[in-house]
Amino acid sequence: MGFLGYSDVICDGDKAIVYLGYNSMMSLKLSHGTVTQTKRGALRHSDIIGKKYGCRLSTLSDKGYVHLLQPTPELWTLNLPHRTQILYFADISLITLQLELKPGSVVVESGTGSGSVSHAFARTIAPNGHLHTFEFHEQRAVKAREDFKDHGISHLVTVAHRDVLEHGFGIDFTVDAVFLDLPCPWRAVSHAKKILKTSGGKICSFSPCIEQVQRTCEELGSLGFSDISTFECLQRNYEHRTVILPYPNLGTKTVSRDDSKQASPNPDDSSSLQDTGIPGTSTEARQGDGATDIASGTTTPEAGKPLDRQGETDREESDRNEGGSQAKRPKLCEGAPQDNKKGNSLNYPTKCAVPWKDMPGHTGFLTFATLYILPGGS
Amino acid sequence: MGFLGYSDVICDGDKAIVYLGYNSMMSLKLSHGTVTQTKRGALRHSDIIGKKYGCRLSTLSDKGYVHLLQPTPELWTLNLPHRTQILYFADISLITLQLELKPGSVVVESGTGSGSVSHAFARTIAPNGHLHTFEFHEQRAVKAREDFKDHGISHLVTVAHRDVLEHGFGIDFTVDAVFLDLPCPWRAVSHAKKILKTSGGKICSFSPCIEQVQRTCEELGSLGFSDISTFECLQRNYEHRTVILPYPNLGTKTVSRDDSKQASPNPDDSSSLQDTGIPGTSTEARQGDGATDIASGTTTPEAGKPLDRQGETDREESDRNEGGSQAKRPKLCEGAPQDNKKGNSLNYPTKCAVPWKDMPGHTGFLTFATLYILPGGS
Amino acid sequence: MASTDVIKQGQNVILKKGKSLRLYQVWRKRRVHLDKKHFFLDEAIGKPYGTTWDVHGQNVCLVTPDEERDEDVREGGTDNRGINDDTRSQKLSDEDIKALKSKGQHGAAIVEQLVENSTSFKEKTVYSQAKYLKKKRDKHLMRFQILRPNTILLCEMYLMRAPSKNIHLRIDTLAQILTAANIQSGINVMMMETCQGLLLGAIMERMAGKGTVVQIHSESAPVRLAVEAYNFPSSYKDTLHAFPLDQLGFLEPKESVESNNPEQSTSEVSDRLQACKTEEPQATNGKSVESKDCPQCSESDAKERSVGHRTQKEEERSNGEEENDSNVEDCDAAADDAGMVAMEADCQSGEGGTQGQKRKFQVNPEKEARKQRRRESLCRVRDLLHNTKMDVLVMACRFQPLPIFTALFKFLAPSRPFVVYCHYIEPLMECNEWLRNCNNAVNIRVTETWLREYQVLPERTHPNVNMSGTGGYLLTGTTVSNET
Amino acid sequence: MASTDVIKQGQNVILKKGKSLRLYQVWRKRRVHLDKKHFFLDEAIGKPYGTTWDVHGQNVCLVTPDEERDEDVREGGTDNRGINDDTRSQKLSDEDIKALKSKGQHGAAIVEQLVENSTSFKEKTVYSQAKYLKKKRDKHLMRFQILRPNTILLCEMYLMRAPSKNIHLRIDTLAQILTAANIQSGINVMMMETCQGLLLGAIMERMAGKGTVVQIHSESAPVRLAVEAYNFPSSYKDTLHAFPLDQLGFLEPKESVESNNPEQSTSEVSDRLQACKTEEPQATNGKSVESKDCPQCSESDAKERSVGHRTQKEEERSNGEEENDSNVEDCDAAADDAGMVAMEADCQSGEGGTQGQKRKFQVNPEKEARKQRRRESLCRVRDLLHNTKMDVLVMACRFQPLPIFTALFKFLAPSRPFVVYCHYIEPLMECNEWLRNCNNAVNIRVTETWLREYQVLPERTHPNVNMSGTGGYLLTGTTVSNET
């Protein structure tokens, strides 16, 4: 269990992350006697228990294999059951840093939601800090409490089912930081002020809409918070792709490329240098998925690829592009149109860092502020 | 004069763009007998008149040289005297396309401002379209009118000094498109509706603040505009930099780099393969400018560089980073720390596409909408 | 209303349903196929562009602006605390809905029933309600708008349906290409694209039939599919000059067309260029375009067509240049046959690929004469490039840009812009490097653009949740001479 | 108020004036130099962090919260139509202002006079007025806030003052490194950085003195300048183990420390490691840090210092590793001398570089004993790495990452995260490629982040006009074994 620290061996009752292939994972609560179906084949839990985290395991029918990973808060965020919209890695990272969380911090969160942020907070404030998390939706509060227990962090987290906007936090001590993920965060700011340390307590509010941010900033300002700032933080993924842009055939007398260092052989004398292209580097028929990620180009043919390549290049269950249609996969124009016949065109593979086709355009606005209630005079 | 079409020879009275070096240009109205000072030395206008556009000209004291360019609307945007905040290339491009401007279009603009957008519009609607541009600031209207006359586009542009928000556009024909760059654009929308073609007239409003956008969108919706959409369009510049990241010295027995294709010679047997580094590729002492743009790496020493290189690498008057201090130029850690002595470290230059340090974070929001007032029934 | 504002027979129109865009040519009694429904657009002829239509049986029926703005806002809950995660909130089953549909229920009625049968609808916030309604309406209502094709719509259509065919060209990037290239009426443009004529069309629109366009094309014929969609006056095509990429060597001053391909017979050269010319009569004769190639053809369609096509042409074409690239060849084939074979304009992607497009290849008896014309055309373009310096070079193609760029760059006059688009940055950096060394350009830039759309709604304003990861990269700059 | 919340002698504090940040160590009667003024912080000792101060003469004076929130909103014009472009709107000349200052006028009074003498101020909109006032106040008021150093402030400070020294590490990227690395109390961290200890400090803060950090360092001594700023309990340093980059070969199982450098004498090896150890007593003895190195040293300072330094050390150091890299050597030198030479803590960048920092090199008489200790330390780290698998590998350095990454990767346990930062994407793509081929990692990602700050003000909400072009790139992933 890696929610706190690491352990080497997978135990009964652990939650493990099953890595199925590129962008495809699932979480698994291990229990002797259970068998779980995955898209790579069935997994018998008894086969897993006792193995080491990080190991590779073939599925029952030997259809394929998976890797078993220790769940970190970051992996959990990618695999938890969504009970609400959740926050992801980039935002969580910035929030944790801006709230100055560290071992020993006492922090309040509202609402708990699916617990994505809670796990990250708990990890950072361990072993001697505490997270008080508030959720107004009862079912969610109960489920979160179960998760925290399962994940061995319940000693660090107290879950309260409470409507903070109406009733405040109801705690009689001060805390280092407050994180708000609420529909009307401005209504919680005065409550937060009551429980925040006045010597530099930190607050963060996450809101998807700018109107919420505007009201929250106004309220923070009027309540005497300082250093109010609002950020957006968007992550762009790059893939390593070996792109084969066809080398144009400019006719018999190719125009000389004086200053270019790259050799420019005459396409027509074409001793079929590369006339079959380079296996394993084709990029065709991948565009439909959007978030293409072809393993970086090697000159090894696909068949000779190490086993893991299979997993890494499999994009069938790309979680980045749920809306993408699987049926239509238009061919990629620039993908390896190799002229075998007469070999009168040469293609140079180019290693490219290509941004994924789609990226998150917005997660939410993060508003940060600090509370200092300082004595006047000198 | 390239504001419309192109002409080869520079004439008396032309406005030319003097290209002084990287990110450094100025406009020049040519007039026999005049001498203009530039940072590369003085230019005698009589030397320029009669030359061809694009030519290179040494300055009087032979301190350096400049290139003389025909002014296009895009070059003008970078060189015009700022009377207001202006719109730039990326926004202008999107506006022109979204307003469906083409030769023959009749378009309204308010306000004229510094004329940055006006020139681009005039170019696109020529030879038989017309731009009606409105400016509530009298001085600016007068100056814009002068510019248009100087630039040979006054037959395409009518400048009116008028407060559109208060008095409307005051024209009694319909137009294809309206562009608003006003502090309270929502107050101009109803005026715009009166002069727009009801069979697909296009409107665009540029606003720096989201509150303006919100009101404008509301007004557009309530007045029956359709396809209301709001965009931001930010341009990121990349430079081609040959970066020399030092190759780490891992001790005598370097760890083998099995799968890497790049050769990994033992740093200690160092037959001074590249021990002096690669001239002309140093990136040091450039960071202070922010928008660094070092000419792409060649293996020619700097001294042997073609003349123009000098201009291209000169960053002293970077217009991208006006706030950047010239005085402090911290050394770039990764820039070519070459170990000459004993040559026990090897540096591999890597060609990198590096985003400029700073980029525009916001220009404004562009709101587009279409007006269709359609007959009901079938 | 001006006569240009109404939908006419023979025009290309775009049907917009939800976010999806389809291009059709309007003909009386020609069936159109949209979202699995077949219907006639006859009712729309003579009606204004921008109108909204509902499908009723085989016909379409105009939607009045009042009907359109039927944005119910109902009484809503305040938040979602009471809503639990289950799928039981909708009492209507898929079978129920199918039954309603088969009874001929109108889409609007079905949506109404769905709302009534949703236990959670009333508890949703008004915003969630609006979202729900929109989703259900898009699904069950057969309502679309008829729009005049323009660059924005065409670019969106290509980008959504086959981004790679359109080399991933995004609207803001296309806009920037046109501006950076200083495209305007009356100039001399040299360009090469492999985005099915979209960029060419956009350039032609901004030139309005004045000036010159030299289009370098990679395959045997220039691909101008998208150009048709613009409904240009036929005279616009007089400004167009095609020149094949693989004849660029012929542009070198000392070469003549006969000696250009010593290892190929002259007749072979001409053969290779044949397809180029088969389109020309259409362009120059100014006769109305009677067939419409559909850019949305599915891959399976494309394969079918190109296979058949190849068999018929095998003897005519001796070089294998378009082999193994059925995608591009498809475009060729289509361009090739334009004006010769009448095709159904409504060929659909995916499932609809069995519409049985028949085509036959017309063996041209005037082969020799055409060869001669082709040779003359090559010479004309060569003379043009040698005698008239070009005002701009625009490239947006699927090839390595550097060799083409260096081959064409020399034909630019000094103090002229150039623009090269590429979906990847690395090939542009090569061009950048070449330019910096060649010393004949200033103001060189490699840029990328972030295009961000916003949802602007009361209390719900934010950037859109999904966004394009990249719009590709542009290399721009201005030529200079080093004459002093 | 808890005693930890007040400013104490010996603590490092950050003075924030406008956007500029400066790090100082607080000592009674020690003069601080900020914006060309010299003053004492004595008054601030015992006062809470977060307080705002004005400089009055040589002393500082607490600003009450009321004074602070002195945001005048005056009667403003409605728009700027009446304002013409000229510089004559301000009647006060620069000379007038200087005269006021020399008369000892307080900054606030000068700002007031500027407003009164501006003819256009009243015609400006309230927003323009506020902007004007802020600009003038920042210029003429000597007001600053005293803050407790934290990762955010330190990262901002480095990024503003010497981005390249901090390998351009941006706050959001640093935040992501810590999260992706799953840094927490009690784990075993293997890391290499060349950002002056900022990343190390951030990691140590999140480990709170529990667990192990193996710091691979490139120069003769680990650079830990920024670590001091955190005011950590001295016990935190017990978790730190330094290991020199150029001894990584020594980690190979079969090597022993003596045979490691056959072409160098053993004594030379030790010499190379000397500086490493000179810092150790400070770390392990737990005595309070009595000197503060200033990360803001100007380049001219750095050169001065390193030149002098090199001359003195020439004999001691036989290898030229840090030659021609005065920047890095500067860091070394500073780290080297920490604890030996008392330096002025307030050395300033730029103009203020003539403060005459004196330093002398102390020849250590216990040379042989130290060599022995150094050898033992190397062995300790080697045994640690061989016996205890590491829980994470974190890299953020100025070197080619691949060789270091591959050398260290093998010490990671399976199912552990790794994070490599680089300012450029290309070197990370090399690592990515290596990883995909080596088969021992999953969930590999190369990412970049857009950090966008917003101005949120009534009627004036928009993203900030300037933005960082890139925060660099991160390679992240999880190790796996291929044991089945």
Side-chain angles (χ1 to χ4, degrees), chain D residues 248-292:
Chain D
L248 279 186
F250 169 61
L251 290 176
E252 296 301 296
K254 279 154 207 158
E255 300 292 331
S256 84
V257 65
E258 279 75 24
S259 67
N260 188 37
N261 279 304
E263 75 281 36
Q264 284 185 303
S265 79
T266 313
S267 107
E268 264 182 332
V269 177
S270 320
D271 280 343
R272 286 167 67 183
L273 296 170
Q274 174 178 344
C276 167
K277 280 297 171 181
T278 56
E279 202 200 17
E280 287 247 335
Q282 180 196 344
T284 48
N285 299 354
K287 68 175 176 187
S288 76
V289 187
E290 298 199 345
S291 83
K292 180 73 214 85

Side-chain angles (χ1 to χ4, degrees), chain C residues 124-162:
Chain C
K124 285 178 200 272
T125 61
V126 285
Y127 309 128
S128 308
Q129 285 184 358
K131 223 174 185 175
Y132 181 86
L133 281 172
K134 197 182 168 336
K135 216 170 97 187
K136 295 300 172 190
R137 282 213 185 97
D138 283 352
K139 193 169 169 191
H140 299 288
L141 255 75
M142 195 62 199
R143 180 171 286 184
F144 62 88
Q145 198 180 11
I146 304 184
L147 297 170
R148 186 201 310 277
N150 64 25
T151 306
I152 302 156
L153 291 169
L154 291 169
C155 186
E156 267 176 30
M157 186 178 79
Y158 281 110
L159 200 57
M160 267 191 295
R161 298 184 61 83

Side-chain angles (χ1 to χ4, degrees), chain A residues 98-109:
Chain A
Q98 291 270 5
L99 292 183
E100 292 188 58
L101 298 190
K102 49 183 173 267
S105 296
V106 181
V107 57
V108 158
E109 177 195 32

Side-chain angles (χ1 to χ4, degrees), chain A residues 5-6 23 54 56 70 74 100 123 199 230 232 234 236-238 293 296-298 306 308 312 351 377, chain D residues 5 62 64 150 179 182 184 415-416 433 436-437 439 443 445-450 452 454 481 483-484:
Chain A
Y6 292 98
N23 257 336
R56 197 172 77 196
Q70 278 195 68
E74 286 60 54
E100 292 188 58
R123 175 260 324 272
S199 56
T230 300
E232 260 192 306
L234 297 176
R236 175 150 91 155
N237 273 271
Y238 286 86
D293 188 297
S296 66
T298 61
D308 196 43
E312 287 298 307
K351 288 186 183 180
Chain D
D5 298 331
L62 191 64
T64 62
N150 64 24
T179 306
N182 197 16
Q184 56 187 283
S415 196
R416 297 295 195 278
E433 195 174 357
R436 301 238 177 230
N437 292 328
N439 228 357
N443 208 26
R445 289 276 184 281
V446 174
T447 59
E448 180 194 18
T449 306
W450 298 357
R452 232 181 157 192
Y454 279 73
S481 73
E483 285 176 36
T484 51

Side-chain angles (χ1 to χ4, degrees), chain B residues 2-8 19 22-23 25 51-57 67-70 72-75 78 89-90 92-94 96-103 123-124 126-127 198-199 202 210 213-214 217 221 224 226-227 229-240 293-298 305-309 312 319-320 351-354 356 359 365 372-378, chain C residues 1 5 16 43 47-53 61-65 68-69 145-152 156 171-172 174-185 187 202 205-208 210 391-392 413-417 425 429-430 432-434 436-437 439-459 461 473-474 476 478-484:
Chain B
F3 285 102
L4 287 185
Y6 292 97
S7 48
D8 286 342
Y19 190 85
Y22 197 82
N23 256 336
M25 290 183 265
K51 285 252 173 5
K52 285 189 176 170
Y53 276 115
C55 72
R56 198 173 76 197
L57 194 79
H67 279 105
L68 293 155
L69 307 180
Q70 278 196 68
T72 63
E74 287 59 54
L75 287 172
L78 297 172
F89 172 71
I92 292 174
S93 301
L94 193 58
T96 307
L97 191 66
Q98 290 271 5
L99 293 183
E100 292 188 59
L101 299 189
K102 48 183 174 270
R123 175 261 323 272
T124 305
T198 56
S199 56
K202 297 276 179 175
I210 194 74
V213 174
Q214 289 168 321
C217 285
S226 44
D227 296 333
S229 59
T230 301
F231 289 94
E232 259 192 306
C233 193
L234 298 176
Q235 213 182 23
R236 176 151 89 155
N237 274 271
Y238 287 85
E239 58 177 304
H240 187 153
D293 188 297
I294 288 99
S296 66
T298 61
K305 280 280 147 65
L307 270 171
D308 194 43
R309 277 293 306 280
E312 285 300 305
D319 63 19
R320 293 223 48 82
K351 288 184 181 179
C352 295
V354 187
W356 286 6
M359 65 175 281
F365 300 101
Y372 281 114
I373 302 293
L374 301 164
S378 61
Chain C
M1 181 155 298
D5 297 331
K16 181 183 177 191
E43 284 297 317
K47 295 291 185 307
Y49 278 104
T51 39
T52 301
W53 301 80
C61 167
L62 192 64
V63 177
T64 62
E68 238 180 298
R69 240 168 268 129
Q145 198 180 11
I146 304 184
L147 297 170
R148 186 201 310 277
N150 64 25
T151 306
I152 302 156
E156 267 176 30
I171 185 71
D172 53 321
L174 178 53
Q176 289 181 17
I177 293 173
L178 297 171
T179 306
N182 196 17
I183 300 295
Q184 56 188 283
S185 191
I187 61 169
E205 184 178 45
R206 296 241 177 137
M207 295 181 66
K210 293 190 183 106
D391 291 324
V392 65
S415 197
R416 298 295 195 279
I425 195 170
M429 284 294 169
E430 269 182 44
N432 186 338
E433 195 174 355
W434 180 84
R436 300 237 177 230
N437 292 328
N439 228 359
N440 282 311
V442 295
N443 207 25
I444 306 161
R445 289 275 184 281
V446 175
T447 59
E448 180 194 19
T449 307
W450 298 356
L451 182 68
R452 227 176 161 197
E453 191 169 355
Y454 279 72
Q455 169 183 301
V456 182
L457 287 173
E459 300 302 313
T461 302
Y473 303 85
L474 287 181
T476 58
T478 305
T479 57
V480 292
S481 73
N482 283 303
E483 283 177 40
T484 51

Side-chain angles (χ1 to χ4, degrees), chain B residues 82-85 136-140 143 161 163 165-166 183 186 207-212 215 232 234 236 238 241 243-262 264 266 268-269 283-285 287-288 320 327-342 344-363 365, chain D residues 22 79-85 131 159 161-168 194 245-250 252 255 259-264 268 272 299 303 314 317-328 349-351 397-404 406-407 410 422-427 430 433-434 437-438 448 450 452 454-455 457-470 473:
Chain B
H82 280 220
R83 299 188 279 264
T84 52
Q85 290 220 327
F136 80 159
H137 189 294
E138 186 160 16
Q139 193 188 11
R140 278 184 221 141
K143 286 207 176 144
H161 168 225
D163 186 340
L165 294 179
E166 289 300 319
W186 60 93
S207 298
C209 303
I210 194 74
E211 292 85 357
Q212 300 166 307
R215 291 211 188 96
E232 259 192 306
L234 298 176
R236 176 151 89 155
Y238 287 85
R241 223 199 285 177
V243 172
I244 303 186
L245 293 180
Y247 191 90
N249 172 10
L250 305 182
T252 0
K253 301 272 175 178
T254 43
V255 182
S256 66
R257 298 167 63 201
D258 337 60
D259 297 272
S260 165
K261 261 157 264 143
Q262 196 179 0
S264 160
N266 190 319
D268 273 7
D269 60 29
T283 61
E284 71 174 61
Q287 284 301 307
R320 293 223 48 82
K328 283 171 284 172
R329 290 194 171 192
K331 292 194 73 180
L332 182 64
C333 263
E334 65 269 38
Q338 295 136 8
D339 295 17
N340 292 323
K341 220 174 176 181
K342 292 189 181 174
N344 60 353
S345 165
L346 288 167
N347 298 323
Y348 296 94
T350 310
K351 288 184 181 179
C352 295
V354 187
W356 286 6
K357 192 167 165 278
D358 298 310
M359 65 175 281
H362 183 62
T363 55
F365 300 101
Chain D
R22 293 285 189 287
D79 53 48
N80 59 356
R81 82 181 72 185
I83 302 171
N84 286 331
D85 315 307
K131 223 174 184 173
L159 199 58
R161 298 184 62 83
S164 62
K165 276 201 181 184
N166 202 29
I167 50 171
H168 306 272
T194 57
L245 179 66
D246 58 10
Q247 297 298 311
L248 279 186
F250 169 61
E252 296 301 296
E255 300 292 331
S259 67
N260 188 37
N261 279 304
E263 75 281 36
Q264 284 185 303
E268 264 182 332
R272 286 167 67 183
E299 203 184 325
K303 270 183 183 150
E314 230 156 36
R317 299 202 183 179
S318 53
N319 76 328
E321 207 155 5
E322 61 289 285
E323 293 293 339
N324 282 7
D325 191 355
S326 66
N327 188 20
V328 172
S349 109
E351 319 77 40
C397 65
R398 65 186 179 86
F399 293 93
Q400 295 237 358
L402 184 59
I404 305 173
T406 54
K410 62 170 83 74
C422 188
H423 186 53
Y424 310 100
I425 195 170
E426 290 79 2
E430 268 183 45
E433 195 174 357
W434 180 84
N437 292 328
C438 90
E448 180 194 18
W450 298 357
R452 232 181 157 192
Y454 279 73
Q455 168 183 302
L457 287 173
E459 301 301 314
R460 282 163 294 162
T461 301
H462 60 72
N464 280 5
V465 172
N466 294 310
M467 146 177 198
S468 153
T470 182
Y473 303 85

